[in-house]
Amino acid sequence: MRRRRRGKPAWYAPAAVAVDVIGAAVPVYAAFRLFDEAHAVYYAAAVSVAWVLVRAARTRYTWRALGERGHAQPLLRDGMVLVALLTMVRAATGEDSPCHLVPAALVVCLAFTAACQTLTNRHLQARRRDGRGVRRALVIGETAALNGLVNRLSRRTDHEFVVVGVCPIGDDTPNLIAPVAGRLAQRLPAHLSDDSAPVLAAVRGLEVDLVFVVSGPTMAAERLRRLSWALHEDGCPLVVVPGLTEVVQRRVTVATLAGLTTLHVTPPARGAALLAKGVLDRVGAAVLLVLFAPVFAVVGIAVRLDSPGAVLHRQIRVGHQGRHFTLAKFRTMVADAEQLKQELAKTNEHDGLMFKMRRDPRTTRVGRVLRRFSLDELPQLVNVVRGHMSLVGPRPPLPEEVAQYDEVELRRLGVKPGLTGLWQVSGRSDLSWDETVALDLHYVDNWSPVVDLNILSRTLRAVVEGNGAY
């Protein structure tokens, strides 16, 4: 049974190819013309064709890849492959053009490709929020685990699946619970097992694109194997959900042991990577303090003139492994804000342990501007230099918040708090408490230098957009 591909517009592939061709050809041609090199057109054509071939060979134009969230690392690897390929061609042909022109032009090429990926992904995410561009999924598993997966998929929109049916199982045959119409009456192969028959009927009747199986004691080993046979004979992909949550793909290795498929999960980056993070944090914060010195002076004068009180507001916060430290921020509220907080406790608009109000009456006029552009956070660069904080990490909590943490939430203290982090670039105060904790735990469990660079690159856009900044 052949399944049709759903939802992605047909123009994604030609648009991606066109952007890569133009993004490679134009800067190469301009660079060669700028230095009065001959055959600029030929060089531009050769580089653009080579770039498209590299991208195609690395499956960047496939239906599965187009429109999905792009990452900087694969794109940089593509660029390195292209440079290596052109270097070998240059050595083999004895070409004597300036060797720095093409790599310099490729910086612009990578920017074009990254912009195309971002815009295409945003278009696809908008379609998925409207219920288009999705893949229909059937979920099989024990009731408790099944409900957990369905709830997780329904709460988030950063994936391509919509659950159209479920099959709860126990020791007996799966019990189909789904809005199946007349197609269930289709004749099925006679050799199917008791498990496979109702599942395959649901797959056909609901026009399912993929089946999720939540592994458990009653659906494992031989039983799961037989189900996969039936689904694969019908051309339907099978995805086994092992129960791991918030573990990124680079930490997981699939291996076979005595005929069993195993998942090896490596620990987060430690050792030399963590030492390098600390050094870069302090050096980077020191450089930023020097660069932002004029901004400090202007903001300090504005805070002083706007309302009476100190320029800096100091608070005790909880850092790595529960250590307390004094955090400094530009004052954005009236001088007696802490006392007024008790009176406003009932007006808290946040569902968790943080106190947040979209229109907090304690905030000053200058304070609203500082919060909108996150300028009130700049003095925390001093905390980074002193080693209390990192440039990237979870939000530093208050001691009274930590006193109410459970075992899961305490995991947020496993790394140094950050000046920016996943919380800041994902919506800040607009996020629920559960979403905030989930983002922080994802960072703690999957930290790496590449993750930090990605968050830092997204911080500028988050500051400009100002979502959740109040």
Side-chain angles (χ1 to χ4, degrees), residues 395-426:
R395 186 193 69 90
L398 294 165
E400 55 265 32
E401 295 172 359
V402 174
Q404 302 178 62
Y405 279 5
D406 58 24
E407 182 181 2
V408 173
E409 293 161 345
L410 283 172
R411 175 69 175 164
R412 301 173 73 222
L413 307 180
V415 297
K416 288 182 181 180
L419 187 64
T420 185
L422 283 177
W423 181 75
Q424 288 87 341
V425 301
S426 303

Side-chain angles (χ1 to χ4, degrees), residues 255-270:
T256 302
L257 177 66
L260 299 173
T261 301
T262 61
L263 299 180
H264 293 235
V265 183
T266 60
R270 291 290 184 268

Side-chain angles (χ1 to χ4, degrees), residues 97-297:
S97 61
C99 60
H100 65 279
L101 291 183
V102 171
L106 285 179
V107 174
V108 180
C109 174
L110 295 180
F112 269 92
T113 301
C116 178
Q117 288 179 342
T118 300
L119 293 175
T120 307
N121 176 254
R122 288 188 177 185
H123 180 268
L124 183 59
Q125 292 300 325
R127 288 175 60 86
R128 286 174 176 169
R129 283 191 290 271
D130 292 337
R132 298 175 295 166
V134 295
R135 301 176 71 192
R136 299 165 63 86
L138 177 70
V139 181
I140 306 172
E142 298 171 34
T143 303
L146 181 151
N147 289 339
L149 176 60
V150 172
N151 289 336
R152 177 176 285 266
L153 291 176
S154 63
R155 285 198 306 265
R156 299 176 61 162
T157 60
D158 56 350
H159 59 84
E160 58 183 311
F161 302 104
V162 58
V163 177
V164 296
V166 296
C167 285
I169 63 171
D171 295 328
D172 301 321
T173 303
N175 176 30
L176 177 63
I177 301 179
V180 184
R183 293 193 181 184
L184 284 181
Q186 294 183 26
R187 186 176 57 175
L188 298 172
H191 67 276
L192 291 178
S193 65
D194 290 341
D195 284 342
S196 303
V199 171
L200 196 55
V203 166
R204 293 183 176 184
L206 295 170
E207 297 184 349
V208 167
D209 299 303
L210 178 141
V211 172
F212 284 104
V213 175
V214 185
S215 60
T218 58
M219 178 55 78
E222 196 65 24
R223 191 177 186 186
L224 178 58
R225 186 185 185 195
R226 292 179 181 276
L227 178 59
S228 71
W229 289 344
L231 291 173
H232 290 163
E233 285 180 4
D234 203 52
C236 182
L238 172 69
V239 175
V240 178
V241 182
L244 287 173
T245 58
E246 302 298 347
V247 177
V248 295
Q249 184 176 347
R250 60 179 169 78
R251 292 181 55 206
V252 180
T253 303
V254 180
T256 302
L257 177 66
L260 299 173
T261 301
T262 61
L263 299 180
H264 293 235
V265 183
T266 60
R270 291 290 184 268
L274 202 57
L275 178 62
K277 175 182 171 70
V279 173
L280 292 175
D281 280 339
R282 297 193 181 199
V283 172
V287 171
L288 290 174
L289 280 172
V290 174
L291 294 176
F292 283 107
V295 179
F296 274 75

Side-chain angles (χ1 to χ4, degrees), residues 318-379:
V318 182
H320 184 217
Q321 302 298 348
R323 301 185 186 95
H324 288 203
F325 68 95
T326 301
L327 175 143
K329 302 174 66 175
F330 282 118
R331 183 173 57 83
T332 59
M333 293 185 172
V334 295
D336 58 345
E338 291 297 328
Q339 290 74 25
L340 294 175
K341 181 179 177 180
Q342 302 301 323
E343 301 175 13
L344 298 171
K346 294 182 180 180
T347 61
N348 186 12
E349 297 176 8
H350 202 270
D351 65 337
L353 302 179
M354 293 186 293
F355 180 86
K356 290 290 180 181
M357 290 182 64
R358 194 172 294 273
R359 293 177 176 81
D360 196 320
R362 301 172 298 164
T363 306
T364 64
R365 291 173 298 175
V366 169
R368 293 188 185 93
V369 177
L370 297 182
R371 289 191 172 197
R372 170 62 179 77
F373 296 102
S374 299
L375 294 175
D376 59 318
E377 311 284 352
L378 288 180

Side-chain angles (χ1 to χ4, degrees), residues 421-444:
L422 283 177
W423 181 75
Q424 288 87 341
V425 301
S426 303
R428 290 186 271 191
S429 299
D430 287 341
L431 300 174
S432 69
W433 175 248
D434 288 341
E435 289 173 323
T436 300
V437 173
L439 287 172
D440 286 344
L441 294 185
H442 181 86
Y443 177 83
V444 173

